[in-house]
Amino acid sequence: MQELFVDTSAWYAIADPGDTNHQSALIYRNQIARKCRLVSSNYILDELYTL
């Protein structure tokens, strides 16, 4: 299975219904989640938590 690195902006768009890219991010996530393993880093998760 391929891995796809996901940055803060994508996680934020997925998590925040008020984000302008929320719906697009959900659709894209659902399409690629079956094909790729989504990976990130502790730094990305820390940045997301800070937002």
Side-chain angles (χ1 to χ4, degrees), residues 2-51:
Q2 292 183 331
E3 295 181 344
L4 178 66
F5 185 81
V6 183
D7 201 2
T8 307
S9 59
W11 289 123
Y12 188 77
I14 290 168
D16 182 12
D19 188 280
T20 56
N21 295 311
H22 180 70
Q23 288 298 333
S24 298
L26 289 177
I27 292 168
Y28 188 70
R29 182 209 53 197
N30 292 339
Q31 290 174 348
I32 63 169
R34 295 180 186 103
K35 301 172 187 168
C36 299
R37 186 170 77 158
L38 305 179
V39 295
S40 201
S41 72
N42 289 339
Y43 297 108
I44 299 299
L45 297 178
D46 180 46
E47 189 175 38
L48 181 61
Y49 179 76
T50 301
L51 284 173

